[in-house]
Amino acid sequence: MFSTVINALKVKDIRHKIFFTLGILIVFRLGSYITVPGVNAHALQSISSSGLVGILNTFSGGGLTNYSIFAMGVSPYITAQIIVQLLQMDIVPKFVEWSKQGEVGRRKLNQATRWLTIVLAFAQSIGITAGFNYLSQMNLVETPNVHTFLTIGLILTAGTMLTTWLGDMITERGIGQGVSMIIFAGIIARTPTGIQQIYTEQFVNTPKSQWGQSFLYVGLILLAVLAIVIFVTWVQQASRKIPIQYTRRASGASDSSYLPLKVNVAGVIPVIFASSFISTPQTILMAFASSHSEDDWYNILTNVFNMQTTDGAILYTVLIVLFTFFYAFVQVNPEKLAENLQKQGSYIPGVWPGKKTQSYVSSLLIRLSVVGALFLGLVALIPLLASNIFGLDESIGLGGTSLLIVVGVAIQLFDQLEGLMMKREYIGFIRN
């Protein structure tokens, strides 16, 4: 890993991409400390870093705690992506048509995603501001009125769009997938705060006579983190190799190869999608906290869309499973894969080209997605259950999700670096 980074820094083009990415992330981190005007950010310090607050803090790198211009992070954009991708499944004919138009259609779908992001970001920013202001009489907004709420909504919406643009710049000119890198940087930036919180709770605020229990507690957390990192890395790197035969190849070239399909084809995207998707109803419900907090429907929905409850944890796991299957077929389109293999004069041994190949790949994706979904759901659910059953700190409930994102993005990042290094070696070989 370290040798890959060192070798990459020796290459001018790759070094520029790395430094460009770091520069964008620094801008994002600086923006997370710029508090929105007219807001008393100290009012949020007493809120537990679990549930909705924890999710938005994860996606904004702690920006919600400061109620910064990046307080919403990329959560509205991710939700918009989910909706647009779902609408492409024979729901909106125009979106289905665009999805088949290649690069031109992709740009149109991206434009539709941007407009939907603006709508969702504005609605969520108004909802969360009103909810925090009237929830438990926090008085988040100094002068609560329609004009102030609209102004804050516009500022937070602009912050979300700026964050999305920063992510696009990383994707186009930097290293890694932009939105994932933004979330990755936010989680890493909050790590020192989490360590300090554990140290304060277990040692500073605990008598020396109980430090033995504190050391045991910290040791178990470290072992759990290490075990999850090893397990996640092992599963993320596992793949199923499908043999491929070629009917025509260049002279001297091998007439066989293989197509690698990862066991967890979808990566960490389902976790990010599920976290963002479950936070949207929570944001909307916060706007009704002051007037409907005693109503049965409000309490039921609040319980269902709260990841710290049993019902919420089950819903969260179900969403991860569903998005795992959905995104696996988005990443690997069996129809296009079968078509491309046929055009290249290649086939899977024992499987007829065309529809038979498409059916074979689809059934294989389903089997792989079962393993991937169980893996993602297990890693994300265990910390939540530990928090609920054993009474651990509620912020630990999101630890599994954060570790999944960090490890998954780190693996993708190093894979891309290795790919760029390999591409450079091939180009150098051709030129020579």
Side-chain angles (χ1 to χ4, degrees), residues 75-91:
S75 179
Y77 175 70
I78 296 172
T79 306
Q81 274 190 320
I82 299 170
I83 295 174
V84 171
Q85 289 182 351
L86 289 174
L87 293 178
Q88 295 176 41
M89 301 176 65
D90 294 330
I91 297 177

Side-chain angles (χ1 to χ4, degrees), residues 31-49:
S32 65
Y33 289 97
I34 303 176
T35 303
V36 174
V39 168
N40 177 22
H42 296 290
L44 295 175
Q45 301 301 321
S46 59
I47 299 180
S48 171
S49 58

